[in-house]
Amino acid sequence: MPTATNHPPRIAIIGGGPGGLYAAALLKRLDPTREVTVWERNAPDETFGFGVVLSDETLGGIEHADPVVYEALQRHFVRWDDIDIVHRGTRHTSGGHGFAALGRHRLLEILHTRCQDLGVRIEFRTEAPPVDRLSAEYDLVVAADGVHSATRESHADVFRPRITGHRCRYIWLAADFAFDAFRFEIAETEHGVLQLHGYPFSPDASTVIIEMREEVWRAAGFDEMDPRESTDRCAKIFAEALRGRPLRSNNSAWTTFRTVVNDRWSHGNLVLLGDAAHTAHFSIGSGTKLAVEDALALAACLREQPDVPAALTAYEAERKPVVASTQRAARASLEWFEDLDRYRDQPSRQFAFNLLTRSRRVTHDNLRLRDARFTESVEREFGCPPGTPPMFTPFRLRGLTLRNRVVVSPMDMYSATEGVPGDFHLVHLGARALGGAALVMTEMVCVSEQGRITPGCAGLYTGRQAEAWRRVTDFVHRQAPGTAIGVQLGHSGRKGSTKLMWEGIDEPLPTGNWPIVAPSPLPYRPGSQTPRELSRAQLTDIREQFTSAAWRAARAGFDLLELHCAHGYLLSGFLSPLTNRRTDAYGGSLEKRLRFPLEVFDAVRSVWPAERPMTVRISATDWAEGGTTAEDAVEIARAFAAHGADAIDVSTGQVVSEEQPDFGRSYQTPFADRIRHEVRIPVIAVGAISSWDDVNSLILAGRTDLCALARPHLYDPHWTLHAAAEQSYEGPGVHWPIPYRAGSRRPQTGRTDTPKPRLSLSD
């Protein structure tokens, strides 16, 4: 293998798409003495697709790195600001988005010319030599050979690719006229919903992508049509959007999108770039963008680092987090379109807002800056009074009206003594009640001494505990009028008898352990205590413990009761097939696994005051193979709704220790969204919702009814008050305690501006 230097003299690039060509041009420009060769198996004028969209951020990087390419691109771009969403014949336009696009053929011509001018050798219509041979003969080998990368597959044991197929079929087509906006349109047919994604890429042409679920594609007969028939059928379905004009193809074929993720991007002097390394769904226009940004980063790292191995390590470290973030957004967008049928009955403006914010990268506040008129029209349709952010609209659950949509999520504090909440709980919950949230939830309050998680857990199994809770609820109702306080009742199940969280989460107590019980005798993790399988008589006892605790909770003054059926605690343990291996009436099918949690719910509801709401927290997925699925979660929610639950609090995971959660911003919200639309029950979304902008976005899009936040309220007990101040909101959706009103405006900060010059001199 040639010597690794920070200026590798001989570079081989496999693949002549935009990423490979731009990498070749940059690497040659940075060091004209390099020998750079590109192998492209197609002819110069052969390519798939039609138009390419690039962001201002990407263009800025191109302008800085290679002004010649930038100027050539500028001459051919078409630019526009608007997005049109057509929903059931009504078009809504949102402006201020800023797009730039050009034809893919034109982009390749520009890059071909730039490479040739710089002295890059391009071998068209030529398969690259075997990658191992290239690695032996060249100092650096860049594999930019696309989503079906043979290079990646030849070293799959090193790169460890994970390729995920998805549920929609799509086809790239073109129309010989220019849309005047980025256009999204749905067609509701007898076979199901189809969607059109269209955008201009030249003054007289547009890209048109037609997409639909696999089952719709088959039902409509597309699987039996030849390419011409498919193209004509699509043009007929979307005749109004296309102004009656035909569509054309470029060897186009129906395909399914594949998400590519690699554990590693480099191996020796071989590195992956663009779609070979990663893919992101076309609905956020990111494929070419990511490939070009990869090329920019790779060239920069080769220049900055002392040798090729260091450069490739730096390149991977720099790009992986960026790509992972983009892929999360792309997956959210992809799944939104896969599940588009779920949203088609939304009011038209809300549907448009939901579509625009589907990836979570465009938010309510961001959209308001881009197009205040459109955003205000969505708010009016939603029912927001003038000047009222969505999060400060009221919401009713049974006899309880919440003045805003913010919930302080249950958070275990492990600070009780013998189950009795003390001064800490008074201050902790009282501070958050004063902080403006509509509903403040207790931690999981245990229904028995045996049902505690740790020795520090609070309970409601004695009169003394109930009296202590009454002290807290009285404070909230007296000092924070209009704020509701809810209690979450639960039993630890197999996750009980453990240390306080900060002493060793889920670790058994060194001494003083109590026996634990569960649906099945399965320890939570290696080294955990093995629970005893509950007998029928014990199930009856536990149901009565929940009932007694609920009766005490009502007398203690709580406004809402939540039954904890999540996170692997006792009732959750019955719901998951991974933790319930029973062969009696309480195990087996989902219907049987639901039986005991529903018995407990019914028993609690019978003693809980009729005018006060009851909610249920569930884990909508176990994040583990063979566990609870999103489909199961819908049926679980449906069952509780049928028994009278007023809302479902949708969390995920913590059921089995081997879980593999897919963390990310508001990552659990899609589960709440699905339950809300399929079960038609109010939901509470929870999980990495950290900003008031997120809350506004989720509420206005109709993905949730309430948002529960935990860590933000630990960081700032007055999070909701501050959210109101930062949005200049002073209406009835938030209440500033009289002693705090002087703080209802954001404090002044140090001066950040500088005096303007007195004189301006010019040449």
Side-chain angles (χ1 to χ4, degrees), residues 418-432:
E418 296 181 349
V420 178
D423 290 346
F424 176 88
H425 296 82
L426 177 67
V427 174
H428 167 67
L429 295 170
R432 280 140 191 91

Side-chain angles (χ1 to χ4, degrees), residues 685-744:
V686 63
I689 302 170
S690 57
S691 71
W692 50 259
D693 193 18
D694 284 340
V695 176
N696 283 327
S697 301
L698 296 171
I699 297 296
L700 192 57
R703 296 183 193 129
T704 189
D705 299 285
L706 300 167
C707 289
L709 298 91
R711 287 179 177 84
H713 281 114
L714 292 179
Y715 180 78
D716 179 4
H718 303 104
W719 186 89
T720 309
L721 293 180
H722 293 154
E726 288 167 12
Q727 296 175 83
S728 301
Y729 173 72
E730 298 178 350
V734 70
H735 172 74
W736 280 85
I738 293 175
Y740 287 1
R741 285 182 183 170
S744 62

Side-chain angles (χ1 to χ4, degrees), residues 398-615:
R398 201 171 282 243
L400 177 66
T401 298
L402 301 175
R403 63 176 167 223
N404 62 54
R405 306 301 186 97
V406 181
V407 177
V408 177
S409 194
M411 294 174 278
D412 287 320
M413 293 289 106
Y414 307 110
S415 299
T417 302
E418 296 181 349
V420 178
D423 290 346
F424 176 88
H425 296 82
L426 177 67
V427 174
H428 167 67
L429 295 170
R432 280 140 191 91
L434 293 172
L439 172 63
V440 177
M441 293 297 300
T442 69
E443 61 199 87
M444 185 179 94
V445 175
C446 304
V447 298
S448 68
E449 185 175 19
Q450 188 185 46
R452 293 173 298 160
I453 307 167
T454 75
C457 287
L460 257 174
Y461 46 89
T462 70
R464 184 177 167 216
Q465 293 163 355
E467 291 171 5
W469 282 119
R470 184 79 205 198
R471 179 177 174 231
V472 175
T473 62
D474 282 349
F475 177 89
V476 170
H477 294 145
R478 184 174 61 252
Q479 299 297 337
T483 298
I485 182 166
V487 61
Q488 185 187 69
L489 291 185
H491 185 295
S492 61
R494 69 175 187 160
K495 296 177 76 174
S497 190
T498 61
K499 297 178 181 178
L500 304 182
M501 180 180 66
W502 46 87
E503 294 176 354
I505 189 168
D506 295 323
E507 293 181 10
L509 292 168
T511 59
N513 280 284
W514 56 88
I516 59 176
V517 294
S520 300
L522 303 169
Y524 177 61
R525 65 181 192 182
S528 295
Q529 185 183 162
T530 298
R532 290 182 295 179
E533 180 170 308
L534 286 161
S535 67
R536 187 63 190 85
Q538 289 174 311
L539 292 177
T540 301
D541 290 343
I542 288 174
R543 187 185 66 209
E544 294 305 314
Q545 291 166 1
F546 272 96
T547 304
S548 297
W551 180 82
R552 292 188 183 94
R555 292 178 63 84
F558 286 104
D559 303 296
L560 175 148
L561 187 149
E562 179 165 282
L563 192 64
H564 200 341
C565 297
H567 301 168
Y569 298 120
L570 184 71
L571 298 181
S572 170
F574 275 91
L575 295 175
S576 172
L578 296 178
T579 52
N580 183 345
R581 305 288 176 81
R582 299 175 73 98
T583 57
D584 62 3
Y586 294 97
S589 67
L590 178 58
E591 182 182 10
K592 290 182 177 180
R593 299 198 307 272
L594 268 162
R595 183 167 293 168
F596 184 64
L598 289 174
E599 285 182 6
V600 172
F601 180 92
D602 291 342
V604 169
R605 181 72 267 183
S606 69
V607 300
W608 184 245
E611 72 281 4
R612 300 187 206 178
M614 264 187 73
T615 64

